[in-house]
Amino acid sequence: MRLLLTRPRRDSEALAARLSKMGIETLIAPVLQIAPLSADLPELGENETVLLTSANGARSLARASERRDFRLLAVGDVTAETARAAGFSDVTSAARDSDALIRLAVDRAGSENGGVLHITGGHVAGDMEGKLTAAGLSYRSVTLYEARSAETLSKVARTALSEGALDGVILYSPRSARVLRELLAAAELGEAPRRMTAYCLSDAVAKAAGEGWRRVAVAMAPDTESF
């Protein structure tokens, strides 16, 4: 089996190493590229908790501040592990998805009448702010990085897709699914999905991936281990 990996290169390389141990070949073709932004991190209040919804958020926070004593709540285990690897010690994982992170934030910060600071990229999916403020928490966000859409697929990826040399693609977010379809159309490879399985992290990702795939498979839970 040979799969197309569309995550930003650093994340795709880690996933490729894991899949290689399972005997699965991969081709990395990021459809999103992470660009750090020079934004100032606001001063945190005494009862304020930092929310991380991606590993890139954890890396961006580490670049933006020398402090490592923030209280961090991470959306999943990979994000939590990335934060710990960057030197943060007070890290709790919601171990699932953004809804689980919201519940964890309400449980932890809400009990202290505190607030949250959300580390974001240029695009924020869902309505985390609305759900948290509705639960009585104060919400702030700071954009420390931007996920930019790739302008084209690599020549190696285009060749593999045109020759039917890929069995499937792993898609982690609705945005990456939409960008991939746009890049396929631009490269006149709109029929390529008919020979591939789209392995999607969630129902929302599968919806964004659209129709025309040989098969669409959705992870049992929205985490890498469930693919």
Side-chain angles (χ1 to χ4, degrees):
M1 178 182 286
R2 191 183 190 201
L3 300 179
L4 182 68
L5 305 185
T6 60
R7 302 191 80 191
R9 181 159 297 277
R10 186 168 181 175
D11 297 315
S12 284
E13 288 174 348
L15 180 57
R18 176 172 172 264
L19 291 172
S20 178
K21 295 178 180 178
M22 301 167 62
I24 299 174
E25 297 181 10
T26 56
L27 172 60
I28 296 176
V31 300
L32 299 176
Q33 300 169 347
I34 303 302
L37 298 178
S38 56
D40 293 328
L41 189 70
E43 194 71 26
L44 265 68
E46 183 178 352
N47 292 328
E48 199 162 18
T49 300
V50 177
L51 301 186
L52 299 175
T53 45
S54 73
N56 289 307
R59 298 182 190 113
S60 297
L61 179 61
R63 284 193 298 264
S65 175
E66 294 182 357
R67 286 184 57 183
R68 294 295 182 268
D69 60 343
F70 299 121
R71 180 172 59 180
L72 307 181
L73 302 183
V75 66
D77 293 341
V78 171
T79 299
E81 290 167 6
T82 302
R84 294 187 187 105
F88 297 102
S89 57
D90 189 354
V91 184
T92 303
S93 172
R96 192 169 176 85
D97 54 18
S98 59
D99 286 336
L101 179 60
I102 289 170
R103 291 192 294 270
L104 180 62
V106 171
D107 179 61
R108 297 292 180 88
S111 64
E112 301 175 354
N113 296 316
V116 297
L117 175 67
H118 183 191
I119 307 300
T120 74
H123 295 258
V124 179
D127 185 22
M128 181 167 287
E129 178 178 5
K131 293 177 180 179
L132 287 170
T133 54
L137 275 68
S138 63
Y139 174 95
R140 295 192 296 165
S141 66
V142 58
T143 302
L144 295 183
Y145 68 96
E146 183 178 28
R148 298 173 180 169
S149 300
E151 296 182 357
T152 184
L153 289 167
S154 68
K155 182 178 180 179
V156 174
R158 294 197 305 271
T159 299
L161 287 161
S162 65
E163 294 178 350
L166 292 166
D167 300 292
V169 58
I170 296 181
L171 298 169
Y172 269 75
S173 71
R175 186 178 172 211
S176 61
R178 288 191 293 268
V179 172
L180 176 61
R181 293 305 296 248
E182 292 169 0
L183 294 175
L184 289 172
E188 299 183 350
L189 290 167
E191 296 300 311
R194 297 188 182 281
R195 300 187 292 268
M196 301 168 63
T197 296
Y199 296 96
C200 302
L201 188 68
S202 67
D203 289 330
V205 177
K207 182 178 180 180
E211 300 178 350
W213 300 91
R214 180 180 65 190
R215 186 167 70 94
V216 175
V218 179
M220 295 179 63
D223 55 58
T224 300
E225 298 298 326
S226 298
F227 272 121

